[in-house]
Amino acid sequence: MTTLMQSEVPGASLWRRGKVRDVYEAGGDRLVIVASDRLSAFDVVLPTPIPGKGRILTQLSNFWFRKTAHLVPNHLVSTDIRRFPIAFRERRELAQRAVLVKRCERVDIECVARGYISGSAWTEYKALGTVAGETLPRGLLESERLPEPIFTPATKAATGHDENISRKQLAAIVGTDLAKELERLTLALYRFAHDYAAAKGVILADTKFEFGFHDGQLTLIDEALTPDSSRYWEGSTYTPGSSPASYDKQYVRNFLTLSGWDKEPPAPALPEDVVAGTADRYRECYERIVGETLA
């Protein structure tokens, strides 16, 4: 399987290079987004790529963009590279990992929905009884399902670590009306995707979305419900009070934590077994949810 650490497209203007995605100008109000095989953990890009990861992220996002279009508009214009600007059409390495999208004015907020208490939310809850500064019921177990999904926004950092903020802080940043709409859409998307994945035997524990404005309309952008932006668990073995087997990059996070890394750049290289195990988890996540093998 072809591995792409960083895309290069002669004749195309690079607009920005993110932690995982390379974004190019595509004329007018269009952009081309290329998902590389880079992996980010604890907000640091790792030196070791995960083969095929970018293709899986792109195709799973496209699947969810189509499934959720009735809930909120998204930025997707075309997935057919033959419809892209000419500089991209002969770049075969970009097939299935590039999309043509609307250029949107991004809202610089990570919109996080949590239906279960895990990860950083569990860490805060154990210490303070809160998540994102808001009190939760007492006595919850690790990975337990919450009475209702909650919205826990975070600031989006260009470099370094994102910072969790309260809903009150969000309203102060973006305004009360936009804050309410971001929360409504985030929870609506989460509930829909959670129920869809559950029917496939997969638990969507939490996920994050990004939004932007296109022609004044709030629009879902970037990626949607991938193993990079979500915490997926195997439903058949899920038990509250434990750390369930996951289909996301928690496998990598666990290795990095045990390695003693201080979560500051540079990150350590990943051994071959961790790379292979991570690739298998991404692929299985796609196959379980979509119901088909990615050719």
Side-chain angles (χ1 to χ4, degrees):
M1 183 178 292
T2 302
T3 300
L4 183 70
M5 189 65 174
Q6 180 173 296
S7 65
E8 300 293 342
V9 184
S13 177
L14 182 68
W15 185 59
R16 66 183 293 269
R17 206 181 292 279
K19 293 170 183 171
V20 173
R21 289 167 177 78
D22 302 330
V23 185
Y24 294 87
E25 301 277 0
D29 70 341
R30 298 289 187 262
L31 298 169
V32 168
I33 300 178
V34 179
S36 73
D37 294 329
R38 299 190 296 271
L39 181 67
S40 168
F42 302 111
D43 295 311
V44 177
V45 177
L46 307 184
T48 314
I50 306 299
K53 170 178 169 284
R55 293 173 63 237
I56 293 170
L57 294 183
T58 300
Q59 296 307 307
L60 188 54
S61 279
N62 293 346
F63 171 84
W64 282 118
F65 282 138
R66 290 190 292 268
K67 287 290 183 183
T68 60
H70 66 291
L71 297 174
V72 60
N74 62 67
H75 69 169
L76 200 60
V77 174
S78 179
T79 62
D80 184 354
I81 205 165
R82 294 170 298 181
R83 294 183 57 192
F84 290 18
I86 194 167
F88 298 90
R89 294 177 194 169
E90 299 303 320
R91 310 300 298 185
R92 295 185 179 181
E93 74 276 14
L94 304 185
Q96 294 191 311
R97 62 169 76 239
V99 287
L100 182 67
V101 303
K102 305 167 190 171
R103 184 198 295 264
C104 298
E105 182 183 353
R106 188 178 71 182
V107 179
D108 287 330
I109 296 293
E110 297 276 10
C111 293
V112 182
R114 302 179 186 273
Y116 300 72
I117 187 161
S118 187
S120 62
W122 172 243
T123 301
E124 180 185 337
Y125 176 78
K126 282 194 300 180
L128 303 171
T130 62
V131 174
E134 300 194 19
T135 302
L136 290 185
R138 293 182 179 181
L140 294 175
L141 301 176
E142 181 179 8
S143 308
E144 186 171 349
R145 187 172 185 178
L146 298 170
E148 291 291 337
I150 59 174
F151 176 62
T152 62
T155 57
K156 184 170 176 60
T159 59
H161 303 293
D162 297 340
E163 180 182 350
N164 292 335
I165 58 175
S166 68
R167 293 155 71 228
K168 185 176 180 179
Q169 287 173 303
L170 174 64
I173 293 170
V174 304
T176 301
D177 290 345
L178 179 54
K180 288 180 178 178
E181 185 64 359
L182 291 173
E183 179 172 356
R184 184 189 72 79
L185 289 174
T186 297
L187 293 177
L189 287 164
Y190 172 79
R191 289 188 173 100
F192 175 85
H194 174 274
D195 291 350
Y196 188 94
K200 305 289 186 176
V202 178
I203 293 173
L204 176 62
D206 54 56
T207 192
K208 64 182 179 181
F209 300 106
E210 291 187 35
F211 296 92
F213 284 96
H214 183 264
D215 289 342
Q217 186 171 45
L218 198 57
T219 301
L220 182 61
I221 65 172
D222 193 56
E223 63 180 324
L225 298 155
T226 72
D228 262 18
S229 63
S230 313
R231 197 184 310 268
Y232 283 109
W233 294 333
E234 169 54 44
S236 64
T237 57
Y238 164 71
T239 304
S242 65
S243 181
S246 67
Y247 290 106
D248 51 65
K249 57 186 176 183
Q250 189 61 43
Y251 183 63
V252 172
R253 292 191 191 101
N254 292 345
F255 164 79
L256 292 171
T257 299
L258 291 173
S259 75
W261 177 48
D262 64 2
K263 301 179 184 178
E264 296 295 333
L270 301 178
E272 289 185 6
D273 63 317
V274 173
V275 171
T278 303
D280 288 345
R281 283 164 171 78
Y282 274 74
R283 191 177 305 110
E284 186 173 353
C285 182
Y286 174 90
E287 292 173 356
R288 290 286 298 276
I289 291 172
V290 177
E292 61 185 40
T293 301
L294 182 59

